[in-house]
Amino acid sequence: MYVQELEPVADSLGLSALVAALPLVIVLVLLGGVRLKAHLAGLTGLVAAVLVAWLAYGMPLGQTLSSAAQGAVFGLFPILWIVVNALWVYRMTVRTRHFDILRRSFGRLSDDPRIQALVVAFCFGALLEALAGFGAPVAICSVMLVALGFEPVRAAVVALVANTAPVAFGAMGTPVVTLAQVTGLPLDDVASVVGRQTPLLALVVPLVLVGLVDGRRGLGETWIPAVVCGIAFAVAQFAASNYVSAQLADIGAALAGAGALVAAPHARVPATEAVRASVLTGARSEELDEDDPPREVVRAYAPYALIVVIFSIAQIPVVKDWLAEATQMYDWPFLNVVNPDGQPVSGNVFSWPIVSTGGTLVLLAGVCTAVVLGVHARVAVKEWAATVHELRFAILTVTSVLALAYVMNLSGQAATIGYFVAAAGAGLAFLSPVLGWFGVAVSGSDTSANALFGALQVTAARESGLSPELLAAANSSGGVLGKMISPQNLTIACAAVGLAGREGDLLRRVLPWSLGLLLVMCLIVVGQSSPVLDWMLP
């Protein structure tokens, strides 16, 4: 049995916290300072966490390695199981050219570039974030906007800023699922609080986007469609995350936002030539003028409809209970950890939701997609294998970061840092989103930031008398605003629109928006931690 200690270094909480923070500092310095590749930084940090747990905290080496193995397994299943299958569905639509049909369908909704930015970057980008995440929405939406005639820099900036509100529930809820796992908090509790924070961003981001596209004129002429879209998105994301399923939050929000935007009369007003001439400074793709048979348009939308239907069926109480019965619980081998009070920690047991996990449901939707799009079984399997190969470095990054997080959590390192940070007292509510923002800005992933800082936030909250669910959610909600300035996303955006080497230009354009929206989120969390806005919490 291993008993966690809070002050293993010279019986000092400060010194112990300093040593415990070394793995995090190493990862952040290697990523942000040295610019080392993420998977190498993650592996280096994992080695540091193992050494600190073994040498400084006295955790037996066997248990230390076992905790790292459990984190890596959790990174593979269910986290990467969701991402791989979601990107597989997307790759099949590209293979059959139904993605091009979908792009042309969007282009016909409106000839106003400001409305097109909302449809493509905000609504469709949110749908892509819901299904895949990990940079895919920025790359795909940037390319689509350039094809519509947007100047490359403007297209990349719009795609980056739009990729905020849906991030916390991206990849079928992967960030909040990870947050619940590493903190031990119920998923529904964490998701419901996040769902009372990020929807507030959705009210603002569409207005920011039309302003980025066309300045004050864009705000003056298209603020009504932007507000309608934002409200519909926010309401749907709140309702789904609180009363339906975290996995469906972004899908429902994206569809609701798009539906409201299309229904808004102001969105169908043709753009003036002056607007088009000043905004669309790039070359419009001639492919947009091709006509597509209605049957093929329906097939292009079918993969996303299938995912919605399958996940909706999975939420029916009878079906949900049947799927839950298939969840397997195991005593994790070579692991016997108790907290400083002598109570066994939740990490001693490993939960394996074989059927009910989002990745398996997406896999089922992918099989149905292959049938609907006419993809041969051999080709579908080949595309799945190609998806795994494409994500090989992301797989290594996620598994190493989750392994690092589990070592820090189970050895007691995260608890030590949390107790030390709790000294911030009431100021912790303001700093909590900043920590998540910094983690995502460096790692490029809300999932990784939640894995690294989630347990720390909960420990600090409990010691300072704040709500653990609030600060855990704040880590994720603040993190979404670091996505647009992360080197990973900036590089993806530049590569997608042919601006390689101009990441600095994009950073200067999006940094003020990232900081401004972060301040708004910090004030929201502070308000929710006080009588001013505590009525917003469940």
Side-chain angles (χ1 to χ4, degrees):
M1 180 183 294
Y2 169 69
V3 181
Q4 295 176 341
E5 289 188 59
L6 295 176
E7 302 175 354
V9 180
D11 293 325
S12 168
L13 184 62
L15 289 176
S16 299
L18 187 64
V19 172
L22 282 176
L24 295 177
V25 172
I26 288 172
V27 171
L28 298 178
V29 169
L30 290 179
L31 281 172
V34 182
R35 297 291 180 88
L36 193 66
K37 292 185 180 299
H39 63 281
L40 295 177
L43 289 171
T44 305
L46 172 59
V47 172
V50 168
L51 291 176
V52 170
W54 179 35
L55 300 177
Y57 277 73
M59 189 179 196
L61 184 59
Q63 296 209 50
T64 304
L65 297 177
S66 181
S67 61
Q70 184 181 164
V73 169
F74 178 71
L76 291 171
F77 190 99
I79 301 304
L80 288 163
W81 180 237
I82 297 171
V83 177
V84 168
N85 290 324
L87 278 178
W88 173 54
V89 173
Y90 163 71
R91 284 181 65 99
M92 285 192 289
T93 66
V94 173
R95 173 110 185 181
T96 60
R97 302 194 66 81
H98 282 89
F99 182 77
D100 294 332
I101 295 173
L102 192 68
R103 182 179 65 179
R104 288 192 286 271
S105 175
F106 289 159
R108 296 188 190 101
L109 291 176
S110 173
D111 70 343
D112 190 326
R114 300 162 300 190
I115 303 301
Q116 290 174 344
L118 294 177
V119 172
V120 173
F122 188 69
C123 298
F124 186 60
L127 187 60
L128 291 174
E129 183 68 35
L131 300 178
F134 291 89
V138 170
I140 295 168
C141 292
S142 297
V143 171
M144 291 180 72
L145 290 173
V146 169
L148 289 168
F150 280 67
E151 187 265 332
V153 171
R154 182 175 292 170
V157 169
V158 168
L160 285 166
V161 174
N163 191 220
T164 49
V167 169
F169 296 103
M172 310 310 292
T174 294
V176 291
V177 169
T178 303
L179 185 61
Q181 181 72 17
V182 299
T183 59
L185 299 173
L187 173 59
D188 290 344
D189 292 353
V190 174
S192 65
V193 179
V194 175
R196 295 162 192 250
Q197 294 172 343
T198 56
L200 299 176
L201 295 176
L203 300 175
V204 178
V205 171
L207 291 169
V208 173
L209 294 180
V210 296
L212 286 171
V213 172
D214 196 28
R216 292 183 179 179
R217 180 178 59 186
L219 281 171
E221 296 179 357
T222 57
W223 69 269
I224 293 179
V227 169
V228 168
C229 178
I231 291 175
F233 187 102
V235 170
Q237 191 182 59
F238 161 76
S241 60
N242 277 267
Y243 306 112
V244 184
S245 166
Q247 287 87 348
L248 285 175
D250 278 349
I251 294 178
L255 296 178
L261 186 60
V262 172
H266 295 77
R268 296 193 295 273
V269 176
T272 64
E273 286 302 319
V275 170
R276 294 182 58 79
S278 63
V279 174
L280 301 181
T281 55
R284 185 175 182 273
S285 173
E286 294 181 358
E287 290 184 6
L288 295 173
D289 298 323
E290 295 182 15
D291 291 327
D292 299 305
R295 179 172 179 270
E296 294 305 313
V297 175
V298 172
R299 293 175 73 189
Y301 282 92
Y304 310 103
L306 285 168
I307 290 176
V308 173
V309 169
I310 289 173
F311 270 83
S312 298
I313 292 174
Q315 299 306 312
I316 298 173
V318 175
V319 179
K320 191 173 183 178
D321 292 341
W322 176 77
L323 293 174
E325 290 177 1
T327 300
Q328 302 293 319
M329 305 289 290
Y330 301 99
D331 288 328
W332 190 258
F334 311 112
L335 201 60
N336 184 13
V337 180
V338 297
N339 61 27
D341 297 327
Q343 302 296 319
V345 300
S346 59
N348 293 328
V349 178
F350 184 76
S351 174
W352 192 26
I354 305 172
V355 182
S356 61
T357 187
T360 302
L361 298 177
V362 176
L363 177 65
L364 176 60
V367 172
C368 296
T369 295
V371 174
V372 171
L373 300 185
V375 180
H376 192 278
R378 182 179 66 256
V379 176
V381 172
K382 183 179 179 181
E383 287 294 330
W384 194 91
T387 303
V388 174
H389 182 265
E390 179 186 341
L391 291 172
R392 62 192 183 280
F393 292 118
I395 291 172
L396 192 55
T397 300
V398 171
T399 52
S400 62
V401 168
L402 265 296
L404 181 157
Y406 269 61
V407 170
M408 291 191 65
N409 294 343
L410 290 171
S411 66
Q413 296 174 58
T416 297
I417 300 172
Y419 274 80
F420 182 75
V421 171
L428 189 59
F430 185 88
L431 296 175
S432 184
V434 177
L435 190 59
W437 173 85
F438 182 71
V440 176
V442 173
S443 69
S445 167
D446 201 36
T447 299
S448 296
N450 286 345
L452 291 174
F453 301 131
L456 184 158
Q457 297 265 23
V458 168
T459 302
R462 286 174 174 153
E463 285 304 300
S464 60
L466 296 172
S467 165
E469 291 81 7
L470 174 62
L471 292 202
N475 191 85
S476 191
S477 299
V480 307
L481 300 169
K483 191 88 168 176
M484 68 178 83
I485 64 168
S486 70
Q488 172 185 308
N489 259 23
L490 290 171
T491 301
I492 288 172
C494 284
V497 298
L499 296 174
R502 294 186 60 183
E503 289 85 356
D505 293 341
L506 291 187
L507 178 62
R508 284 188 289 274
R509 295 279 295 273
V510 299
L511 182 59
W513 295 109
S514 178
L515 293 174
L517 292 172
L518 174 63
L519 177 60
V520 171
M521 182 55 65
C522 290
L523 295 176
I524 290 171
V525 175
V526 169
Q528 291 178 334
S529 69
S530 69
V532 177
L533 294 178
D534 63 357
W535 53 268
M536 293 180 62
L537 300 179

